Amino acid sequence: MTIDTRKLHSQQLRSMNFQGDALRMGMNWTEEDLAKPQILIDSAYGMGHPGTFHFRPLIEEISNGVFEAGGKPGVFYTSDICDGVAQATSGMSYSLVSRDVMAAMVEIHALGHPHDGMVLLSGNDKSVPAHLSAIARCGIPAIHVPGGTQLNAPDYFTSNKLWPFGMEVDRGRKTHEELFERQKNACPTCGACQFMGSASTGQVISEAIGLALPGSALIPAPLSMLLRYARAAGKRVLELIRLGITPDKILTRKAFENAIAVHAAVGGSTNALLHLPAMAHEIGVDLTIDDFDRIHRRVPVIANVKTTGKYPVEYFYYAGGVPKVMLEIRDLLHLDCLTVTGKTVGENLAEIEHSYFFDERLGYLRNYKIAPTEIIRTRAEPFGTEGGIAILRGNLAPDGAMIKAFSVPKEMHVHTGPARVFDGEQACLEALRRTAIKAGDVMVIRYEGPRANGMPEMYFAAAVLAADPVLGRSTALITDGRFSGAMQGPSIGHVSPEAIDGGPIALIEEGDLIEINIPTRSLAIVGIHGERAAETEVTRVLTERRARWIPRPAGHDRGILGLYSRVATEAARGGELTPRTPGSAPPKRATEPAIATTAAPPRQNVAPRRRDAGDGPTGSRTNNGPSRGTNGSRGRVVIADYDFEDVDIERAIIEGAGFELVPEQCKTENDVISAARDAVAVITQYARVGARAISAFTRCQVIARYGTGVDIVDVEAATKRGIQVTNAPNDWCADEVADHAITLWLAAARKITQYASATKRGEWRWQTGQPIHRLRGRVFGLLSFGAIARGIADRARAFGVEIWVHDPFVEEDDIRRAGARPVSFDELVRGSDYLVIQAPLTSETRGLFDEEVLRKMKREAILVNTARGPIVVDTALYRALKEGWIAGAGLDDIEEEPAKRFDWQADNPLFRLDNVIITPHAAYYSEESIRAVREIASNEVIRVLTGQRPLSPVNFIEAQAAMH
């Protein structure tokens, strides 16, 4: 079947624009050329670094392929800067934002002119993620061509080693002549650098996610094989047009999970935590840093590649490259994902496995007499049992921070040390030069995040640290900046929120004790000025410091960095310059009319109202009275998100008091800022209202939370801004949650779901759910003993069980007086036949029930969680249930609340098991409790806005003057 050119955008435009043909014939286009499918060939070609300098022959081959397949190529360029050239200078601040600028230029080229498809050629740190994001954003048939890698340098030397080498010259331990000898041979050919840094990782991801041809990533640049792949890509894009295969058919959530899995297996660059979420957001997939942590926990590292491994990337390609890695972990991949071949991942791998693909490449490797399994291991003998990335959280990084755990010495996986605080990398480098950093220190480099300084890499400091035989195994580095993809050692980056937004990293003082705990995924301030302190004391001190803290101006107030400092998202959201609003339409193509010709339908009252991120003033909150709503109301009250069918209850209360109600469905903090910048009040269910959103609010008086928990609201930031925070009192749903906990326990213990499923299959056997035990006399454990937990205990006693309780915040005598037995956490885990979690979510309880804890439970135990989902690690629970560590579970939530995602799919492996019951939050089940919590939140808003004190305050703010 041929392409119907009448349906092509390029041909439709010719009937609307009569100048375009003439202009292109001015470039010697023929009449036949004008009638062909128009293919954009956009590349990062330039003279900034060796990764793009060799692109001209590749561009010609792509063009040849397009011509051969019946298309007309149009060649455009947007070159990139080099992180290695800009490193450790002010130019490094331009690196991350250049990704989004490049993506925008490709968007302009692709959609500003009438292109039907595109082939993008790139191979380096920011150009590859820029091109992949542009493919996701533009939506036209597209294929990516990875630019290849350098050949290996003498002595396996790689250019990243020049940083510590140069420091040795500064200290007089090496000569300038020795340095120059290394410099002139470190990059012997064109191509990406010879280690699994950001450039190589980007090429791997392009292939793994399905946008590049199988086997095309990381080809050594001098090989003619790279030219053949370039021509094949030019031909293939015409097939994508003919078949109607657009990026949205390829870039599914499963495809992104495949990319993360391969990223884990190769020990890829930490910068992927910025690039993949940004790319996913372009296509409407809500990918987060927690997805990396979840997937990296179950995927082993099997690639022995520099910098964490031994061999250069050239040898990795000869050992089988990305296809070999994907075959080794195929059981961890979604094999049904579509790719640019028009076939699925599974079909591509099967085809490669039964071809000469590996024979051809292994022949190169035999020249070096290296066994392929030395470079790409089997699953049975991995280099690391888990992938390289771990996401840490705690009072130092509430929104997360990352570490390349695979490269960290084991002795540094748990470390506590005094903070050495530097406001910028240069001060830290000077301390390193003076050998002022001592073993055990924790260096903190701050005000280097996206908004403060463009989020440059702290690579110089990290490289010097890692190269030091003492400091590299005893000293840590923490920053709100980022690191090179070649980083290794105990370096923690992407701390969010960043310092300039008032993140806790801004409050650290010299000598404070910082604890890093990779196994528990925690990063916390645990002491003040060298002395250990209780969590409550640390919180008190940080609150005092926050009251004294004065926000610093951004490092840039003009040009592209000035714009970036105003609008960039935090590192945990990709550090994006142009974040997409969920539910928004993709960019318009050149053939779409610029002005609508028919009237828009009337806006429904409950439809979410979207505003541009730049709407409204910025800066500190004012108290000049409420903003007037669009209907002349007393101000706008924004519902950030909700999962009810309508907002009629809220509307009756809020509009009845003279305010305008604006319902939204925000999924990110950027959405909240966009929707509620000038609102007088915000009501939220799951949407996070963090410090950055609160600092952007210009008129907000009150933030009301549906329900009791307020972990999604930064109460400290709200208090500092004089914003009241309210929630629902504990008793609004206490009985209902207690009822639900007992229901889950009984259903799981009596294995009701297994019996029901068997019966519906036509089986009638008493023994279907065996073994089942009597409830009477068995141990019923409770983690926490608050009001809801006491209600659960009261109900459970009717079944004759013995109640055990662990709650360090309740006196043991109080537990005994309630008829329960106080026990330690270890006793509770090991001794309970039924264990119900009703504890609050804190940095200590997040991820508490991991594999280590679950393995301690009885094999016949039942676990019930009616608290917060993240207390139990989904992957660990899946293994526990699948492999029989425990007998069953009942969950009132999963690790990541699905209502927080606009692209949620039921692909959690727990859903495939029949010995676990999973329900949404019980508190929102009944009509009575739903109505109660909605009325409570709405009435609290009106109380605050009319000068009254709230009935259920979370913080203490002087009542606002009544509005008139």
Side-chain angles (χ1 to χ4, degrees):
M1 185 178 74
T2 59
I3 297 173
D4 185 352
T5 57
R6 295 171 301 176
K7 296 180 179 179
L8 294 176
H9 288 277
S10 61
Q11 302 310 307
Q12 292 171 0
L13 184 68
R14 296 180 69 197
S15 65
M16 301 166 59
N17 181 330
F18 305 107
Q19 185 182 15
D21 282 3
L23 290 168
R24 278 175 283 185
M25 284 191 285
M27 297 184 289
N28 199 32
W29 285 38
T30 66
E31 186 175 358
E32 291 78 10
D33 290 337
L34 293 169
K36 295 175 181 177
Q38 307 299 307
I39 306 301
L40 168 67
I41 300 175
D42 214 329
S43 81
Y45 168 71
M47 298 187 179
H49 53 89
T52 60
F53 187 62
H54 62 297
F55 277 5
R56 281 191 291 186
L58 296 174
I59 295 167
E60 291 177 8
E61 285 303 313
I62 296 170
S63 299
N64 290 340
V66 171
F67 272 124
E68 287 179 10
K72 177 65 174 78
V75 176
F76 286 68
Y77 304 97
T78 301
S79 195
D80 55 348
I81 63 173
C82 178
D83 285 16
V85 173
Q87 199 70 258
T89 73
S90 59
M92 196 62 199
S93 295
Y94 288 91
S95 172
L96 183 56
V97 72
S98 73
R99 174 198 69 187
D100 291 17
V101 173
M102 284 191 73
M105 284 307 304
V106 174
E107 174 193 350
I108 291 168
H109 294 162
L111 305 185
H113 277 204
H115 290 113
D116 303 303
M118 61 182 176
V119 182
L120 304 184
L121 168 62
S122 54
N124 287 83
D125 296 34
K126 302 303 171 295
S127 56
V128 173
H131 281 180
L132 300 186
S133 287
I135 288 173
R137 182 185 304 174
C138 294
I140 63 176
I143 190 167
H144 178 247
V145 178
T149 66
Q150 297 172 4
L151 293 183
N152 188 26
D155 301 319
Y156 290 162
F157 193 83
T158 51
S159 59
N160 59 299
K161 294 181 179 178
L162 290 166
W163 293 100
F165 202 105
M167 182 70 80
E168 292 293 280
V169 173
D170 286 349
R171 292 169 175 169
R173 299 171 183 170
K174 299 280 186 183
T175 67
H176 286 281
E177 290 75 15
E178 289 175 302
L179 174 62
F180 181 71
E181 284 302 310
R182 287 298 189 182
Q183 287 174 325
K184 73 180 183 181
N185 292 309
C187 300
T189 70
C190 286
C193 291
Q194 270 297 305
F195 46 82
M196 192 57 72
S198 299
S200 295
T201 298
Q203 295 189 39
V204 167
I205 285 173
S206 174
E207 182 175 334
I209 208 166
L211 291 180
L213 291 173
S216 62
L218 303 179
I219 299 172
L223 297 187
S224 60
M225 184 186 299
L226 185 56
L227 296 171
R228 292 197 291 272
Y229 269 99
R231 183 177 292 209
K235 296 171 70 172
R236 184 66 209 167
V237 73
L238 273 299
E239 273 296 286
L240 296 178
I241 294 171
R242 184 181 69 81
L243 296 171
I245 297 178
T246 47
D248 60 305
K249 295 180 174 64
I250 296 173
L251 297 176
T252 62
R253 163 160 281 279
K254 288 181 177 181
F256 282 99
E257 291 185 343
N258 283 349
I260 296 175
V262 175
H263 175 266
V266 301
S269 164
T270 58
N271 283 314
L273 277 83
L274 294 166
H275 303 323
L276 269 174
M279 177 186 172
H281 298 160
E282 295 288 355
I283 204 78
V285 174
D286 187 22
L287 197 73
T288 71
I289 57 175
D290 293 314
D291 290 310
F292 280 83
D293 191 89
R294 171 176 58 85
I295 294 171
H296 274 246
R297 284 177 185 262
R298 62 185 178 86
V299 179
V301 179
I302 60 174
N304 186 12
V305 185
K306 289 178 174 286
T307 56
T308 52
K310 177 179 179 180
Y311 294 101
V313 172
E314 177 189 358
Y315 294 179
F316 171 78
Y317 184 76
Y318 298 151
V322 175
K324 181 63 176 176
V325 170
M326 295 181 78
L327 281 167
E328 285 295 334
I329 63 168
R330 73 178 93 187
D331 60 310
L332 301 176
L333 300 176
H334 302 291
L335 300 178
D336 57 343
C337 289
L338 186 66
T339 70
V340 290
T341 64
K343 302 172 184 175
T344 65
V345 169
E347 289 169 336
N348 288 342
L349 292 177
E351 191 172 288
I352 285 176
E353 194 172 22
H354 296 95
S355 71
Y356 288 99
F357 179 90
F358 293 121
D359 288 340
E360 180 181 7
R361 285 147 185 82
L362 289 174
Y364 286 98
L365 196 59
R366 285 193 289 271
N367 291 341
Y368 302 100
K369 295 181 170 47
I370 301 172
T373 52
E374 269 295 295
I375 301 168
I376 300 177
R377 287 274 181 89
T378 63
R379 281 283 298 285
E381 298 181 289
F383 293 104
T385 56
E386 291 186 359
I389 301 297
I391 301 302
L392 311 182
R393 280 191 170 83
N395 63 13
L396 179 49
D399 292 346
M402 71 80 212
I403 187 168
K404 199 169 186 178
F406 177 60
S407 71
V408 178
K410 285 294 182 184
E411 57 267 33
M412 288 295 291
H413 278 223
V414 178
H415 175 74
T416 302
R420 301 296 308 279
V421 183
F422 305 97
D423 291 345
E425 185 187 22
Q426 289 304 317
C428 180
L429 288 172
E430 183 57 34
L432 285 167
R433 284 192 180 96
R434 292 186 287 104
T435 64
I437 303 300
K438 306 302 181 186
D441 286 350
V442 177
M443 298 182 291
V444 177
I445 304 177
R446 62 192 181 191
Y447 294 103
E448 296 284 12
R451 297 207 314 111
N453 194 28
M455 202 177 185
E457 291 178 351
M458 303 294 102
Y459 183 58
F460 198 171
V464 172
L465 173 65
D468 189 295
V470 176
L471 297 184
R473 308 188 74 83
S474 63
T475 307
L477 171 59
I478 298 173
T479 180
D480 53 4
R482 61 191 177 90
F483 295 103
S484 163
M487 70 163 286
Q488 54 184 316
S491 297
I492 299 170
H494 304 197
V495 171
S496 298
E498 62 175 296
I500 201 170
D501 285 336
I505 191 173
L507 309 178
I508 300 172
E509 293 184 0
E510 192 82 6
D512 287 350
L513 296 181
I514 297 176
E515 181 179 77
I516 302 162
N517 193 316
I518 295 174
T520 63
R521 299 300 200 260
S522 65
L523 177 65
I525 304 167
V526 296
I528 304 299
H529 297 156
E531 297 292 332
R532 276 248 179 205
E535 184 178 0
T536 53
E537 175 64 10
V538 172
T539 300
R540 184 190 66 78
V541 171
L542 292 181
T543 302
E544 289 180 356
R545 290 178 184 176
R546 184 175 296 281
R548 301 192 306 268
W549 178 72
I550 300 174
R552 289 175 43 149
H556 308 274
D557 61 2
R558 58 185 296 180
I560 189 63
L561 289 177
L563 173 63
Y564 194 50
S565 71
R566 293 192 295 274
V567 304
T569 64
E570 65 180 2
R573 298 294 301 172
E576 295 174 76
L577 174 68
T578 54
R580 173 182 174 179
T581 301
S584 62
K588 286 189 174 182
R589 304 175 66 144
T591 53
E592 295 176 313
I595 301 174
T597 56
T598 58
R603 177 177 171 270
Q604 298 297 316
N605 287 337
V606 298
R609 177 177 182 267
R610 293 292 179 200
R611 306 176 71 245
D612 291 335
D615 284 358
T618 59
S620 61
R621 173 175 165 261
T622 63
N623 287 307
N624 299 326
S627 59
R628 293 285 165 180
T630 56
N631 56 3
S633 68
R634 303 169 70 181
R636 299 171 60 249
V637 175
V638 172
I639 300 178
D641 69 321
Y642 59 97
D643 61 4
F644 324 120
E645 290 185 0
D646 56 51
V647 291
D648 293 347
I649 293 172
E650 294 85 349
R651 190 178 302 282
I653 295 170
I654 290 168
E655 294 190 349
F659 297 89
E660 178 189 1
L661 182 71
V662 182
E664 295 278 1
Q665 288 294 6
C666 302
K667 296 298 182 182
T668 70
E669 195 164 3
N670 282 332
D671 297 346
V672 174
I673 294 171
S674 175
R677 190 186 296 274
D678 63 351
V680 296
V682 175
I683 304 175
T684 182
Q685 184 172 8
Y686 301 114
R688 175 164 175 75
V689 186
R692 196 160 58 83
I694 289 168
S695 68
F697 293 161
T698 59
R699 296 187 177 276
C700 186
Q701 307 267 345
V702 55
I703 302 168
R705 167 78 163 92
Y706 287 124
T708 55
V710 289
D711 50 297
I712 60 171
V713 178
D714 192 320
V715 179
E716 282 187 29
T719 304
K720 183 178 177 182
R721 299 286 312 280
I723 299 174
Q724 182 71 64
V725 181
T726 72
N727 64 354
N730 285 330
D731 60 358
W732 78 276
C733 65
D735 282 340
E736 191 151 351
V737 175
D739 290 344
H740 195 63
I742 294 297
T743 303
L744 286 174
W745 163 50
L746 292 173
R750 301 300 295 177
K751 303 190 178 178
I752 300 300
T753 54
Q754 289 101 313
Y755 275 107
S757 296
T759 304
K760 291 175 181 178
R761 291 194 303 266
E763 301 174 13
W764 191 268
R765 300 195 203 120
W766 293 353
Q767 306 273 314
T768 293
Q770 291 298 311
I772 292 178
H773 299 282
R774 292 180 178 176
L775 304 177
R776 183 169 299 277
R778 303 186 79 79
V779 175
F780 186 97
L782 276 166
L783 181 60
S784 175
F785 207 51
I788 295 176
R790 290 170 189 258
I792 295 171
D794 291 342
R795 289 161 172 78
R797 282 194 191 91
F799 296 90
V801 294
E802 180 183 353
I803 308 294
W804 287 13
V805 171
H806 174 71
D807 190 331
F809 301 103
V810 178
E811 294 292 336
E812 291 190 358
D813 286 346
D814 288 344
I815 295 173
R816 291 189 184 96
R817 280 192 291 271
R821 173 182 168 183
V823 296
S824 69
F825 178 69
D826 191 64
E827 288 174 312
L828 184 79
V829 170
R830 294 181 185 276
S832 296
D833 297 296
Y834 316 113
L835 200 165
V836 178
I837 302 169
Q838 193 52 52
L841 180 64
T842 66
S843 58
E844 287 76 21
T845 60
R846 181 184 292 274
L848 178 61
F849 280 77
D850 55 12
E851 289 192 7
E852 181 181 359
V853 170
L854 291 170
R855 284 181 183 274
K856 294 177 181 178
M857 295 182 68
K858 294 181 177 181
R859 291 183 66 84
E860 296 173 0
I862 301 293
L863 180 68
V864 174
N865 183 15
T866 48
R868 291 303 181 103
I871 295 176
V872 180
V873 179
D874 283 353
T875 52
L877 181 60
Y878 175 78
R879 286 198 65 188
L881 294 167
K882 183 76 172 176
E883 298 177 19
W885 306 349
I886 62 175
L891 307 177
D892 186 43
D893 193 4
I894 52 179
E895 188 173 355
E896 183 175 21
E897 166 59 58
K900 295 179 182 178
R901 308 179 70 122
F902 60 84
D903 66 328
W904 181 75
Q905 298 177 6
D907 52 6
N908 190 312
L910 287 169
F911 295 142
R912 299 197 291 267
L913 301 179
D914 65 357
N915 57 344
V916 60
I917 303 168
I918 304 173
T919 68
H921 288 314
Y924 296 107
Y925 271 17
S926 73
E927 291 300 314
E928 293 83 0
S929 58
I930 291 174
R931 172 171 285 277
V933 74
R934 294 170 68 181
E935 289 176 346
I936 288 168
S938 301
N939 283 316
E940 290 286 66
V941 164
I942 298 305
R943 284 190 187 93
V944 175
L945 294 181
T946 55
Q948 305 173 60
R949 292 190 181 277
L951 299 180
S952 184
V954 175
N955 56 351
F956 297 95
I957 304 293
E958 288 300 318
Q960 305 289 344
M963 297 183 178
H964 302 289

